[in-house]
Amino acid sequence: MRPTGRLHLGHLLGALPNWVRLQDDYDCFYCVADLHALTTRFDSVAGMKQDGIEMVADWIATGIDPQRSVIFRQSEVKEHSELALLLGMLVPVSWLTRSPSYKEMVGELGERVATFGFLGYPVLQTADIILYKASRVPVGEDQLSHLELAREITRRFNGLYGKVFPEPKAILTETPRLVGLDGRKMSKSYGNTIDIAEEPESVTNKIMSMFTDPARKRLKDPGHPDECNVFSYHQYFDIPDGEKAEIDSACRQATIGCTDCKQRLAARVLARLDPIRERRRQLLDEPGRIEGILEDGRRRAQTVATEVLGEACRTIGI
Ligand code: SF4
C-alpha cells in the first residue's frame, strides 16, 4: 500500500479486514510502497516518511500482527529496485504503454506523471510480488489486469532464463462499495472521507452533514432508505437486524428524523473507531515502536529477497 495519506473508512471496511484474515492461512508480506508513492509524489515528498509510519500504525491497530506478518518499507529492501531493473530489460515498452490504467492516470493527473518511473510502475510491482515467490496476491477486481501483466512478465523471465518464479495468482477480495459522505466516489481529493484516526468530534460532525435521501426535505416527508447513503453506512457498521428494520420502517413512515438517524450512525461508527484510535495512539506514543517493527520486517523480508534475487541472477548468468 502506498503511503499517500491517512487511511479512511474505505480501507477499514475494504482491504484491511481481508489482510487480517489472510494472516490465518498464509505467510504475509505487507509493504509500505514508498517507491511507488514517488511515482506520483516525487515533487511533494514532505511528510512521506511520517505517512508511512502512521499507515503502519493503522494496519497494526486494525489487526495486522507484526509477529505473524512481515511489515517493511519497500525502499529499505534494495532487492526490489534491483529485480525491477532486471525485469525492465525484458519488458517491451508496448506492454506498459497499452495499459489502460497508465493512459487513464496520465489523463487524470496530467503530463507531470508521464515519467519513466511511472511508466515502469507495473515492472516494480511485479518485482514486489515475485521477489518473495508469492503464490497469491490479494486484489480487487479492478486490479486484475495489473496482476495479469505481472504474470506475463513472470512468464517471460521464466521462459528466457529458466523457471525461478511461480506465476502469482489472485485472491479476489470482495470489498463493500462504500461511497463517500456526499454520495460520490470515496476519495481524499473530494474531501468526503472519514479517517480511521479522526477525532470523535470531527467524525460526528462529518456524519451529521452526510447527504441523505433527497426526498426527505421535511420531517414529515416519507423517505427511501434504500436510496440513502446514511442507511447504507448503518449496514456496513453492523446494525442489528431489528434496528435496521425499525429504521427502515420509521424512515418510510416519516416517524424518525434524519438527525436522529445520523446520531445513531455516529455512535455506531465511533464504537468501532474508538478502540482502534486508542491502540494506534499507544503505538505512536511509544518512541521508536513502529520503526522497530519496520526494522524487524526489513530484516525478515531481506533474508528472503537476497536469496531469491541471488537465484534470479545466477539463472540469468550474472
Ligand atoms: Fe436516511 Fe435515516 Fe433520513 Fe431515512 S431517516 S433518509 S435512512 S438518514
Side-chain angles (χ1 to χ4, degrees):
M1 191 180 281
R2 298 189 310 151
T4 50
R6 303 288 176 270
L7 301 189
H8 53 63
L9 295 187
H11 301 105
L12 179 71
L13 301 177
L16 290 176
N18 287 318
W19 286 20
V20 171
R21 273 195 296 275
L22 288 173
Q23 297 180 114
D24 293 335
D25 299 321
Y26 298 94
D27 294 323
C28 299
F29 288 71
Y30 294 124
C31 161
V32 178
D34 52 356
L35 296 176
H36 282 292
L38 277 178
T39 57
T40 51
R41 67 181 284 188
F42 60 88
D43 53 357
S44 60
V45 290
M48 194 167 78
K49 197 155 194 176
Q50 187 59 25
D51 282 345
I53 287 174
E54 303 238 2
M55 184 171 81
V56 170
D58 283 335
W59 291 355
I60 297 171
T62 50
I64 305 294
D65 177 356
Q67 304 285 329
R68 287 200 285 167
S69 297
V70 181
I71 299 175
F72 65 101
R73 270 193 204 99
Q74 183 188 27
S75 63
E76 290 178 347
V77 180
K78 306 294 182 200
E79 286 79 356
H80 285 252
S81 305
E82 193 172 335
L83 183 56
L85 179 73
L86 295 175
L87 296 177
M89 304 302 170
L90 55 92
V91 176
V93 174
S94 60
W95 287 12
L96 304 174
T97 50
R98 79 181 179 205
S99 154
S101 64
Y102 174 73
K103 290 182 199 149
E104 204 177 289
M105 291 285 277
V106 171
E108 203 175 296
L109 301 174
E111 283 298 309
R112 185 185 72 82
V113 298
T115 60
F116 176 64
F118 188 65
L119 181 66
Y121 193 110
V123 179
L124 180 57
Q125 201 167 43
T126 305
D128 297 336
I129 299 167
I130 66 176
L131 188 55
Y132 301 94
K133 296 196 172 179
S135 56
R136 297 279 191 279
V137 189
V139 288
E141 202 136 352
D142 55 332
Q143 296 159 321
L144 274 178
S145 62
H146 297 177
L147 188 63
E148 196 42 54
L149 183 51
R151 287 165 55 83
E152 213 169 346
I153 295 172
T154 306
R155 276 196 295 274
R156 189 160 170 94
F157 181 100
N158 288 342
L160 283 168
Y161 307 119
K163 190 168 183 328
V164 173
F165 301 108
E167 279 180 43
K169 295 195 180 79
I171 297 180
L172 259 185
T173 51
E174 294 254 329
T175 52
R177 295 199 183 281
L178 190 71
V179 292
L181 300 172
D182 55 3
R184 289 188 292 171
K185 184 182 162 206
M186 183 176 279
S187 163
K188 279 256 172 217
S189 53
Y190 292 153
N192 61 7
T193 60
I194 291 176
D195 291 347
I196 290 175
E198 200 147 331
E199 287 303 320
E201 197 185 332
S202 174
V203 172
T204 305
N205 289 341
K206 284 188 175 176
I207 290 177
M208 296 312 290
S209 61
M210 275 177 81
F211 285 28
T212 62
D213 173 11
R216 287 210 78 186
K217 292 196 177 58
R218 287 164 305 231
L219 189 58
K220 61 181 174 42
D221 294 332
H224 310 86
D226 39 343
E227 289 170 24
C228 174
N229 201 15
V230 173
F231 192 71
S232 69
Y233 268 65
H234 269 295
Q235 299 175 73
Y236 292 129
F237 283 87
D238 306 328
I239 189 170
D241 287 346
E243 191 179 344
K244 181 178 160 191
E246 178 216 321
I247 292 182
D248 185 285
S249 136
C251 176
R252 291 178 197 282
Q253 293 167 34
T255 56
I256 185 176
C258 291
T259 303
D260 181 10
C261 189
K262 288 175 179 175
Q263 276 164 348
R264 293 201 208 181
L265 174 63
R268 185 158 284 124
V269 173
L270 286 175
R272 177 84 74 91
L273 294 184
D274 285 349
I276 296 174
R277 194 182 328 100
E278 180 53 24
R279 277 199 294 277
R280 191 180 184 285
R281 191 190 55 73
Q282 286 169 2
L283 285 161
L284 290 168
D285 277 358
E286 203 179 315
R289 176 82 192 274
I290 301 288
E291 281 298 347
I293 288 168
L294 285 166
E295 173 51 24
D296 177 62
R298 180 204 61 73
R299 200 179 37 74
R300 289 156 70 194
Q302 198 138 37
T303 303
V304 181
T306 307
E307 195 182 312
V308 175
L309 181 66
E311 187 185 344
C313 288
R314 283 192 301 278
T315 308
I316 296 172
I318 57 172

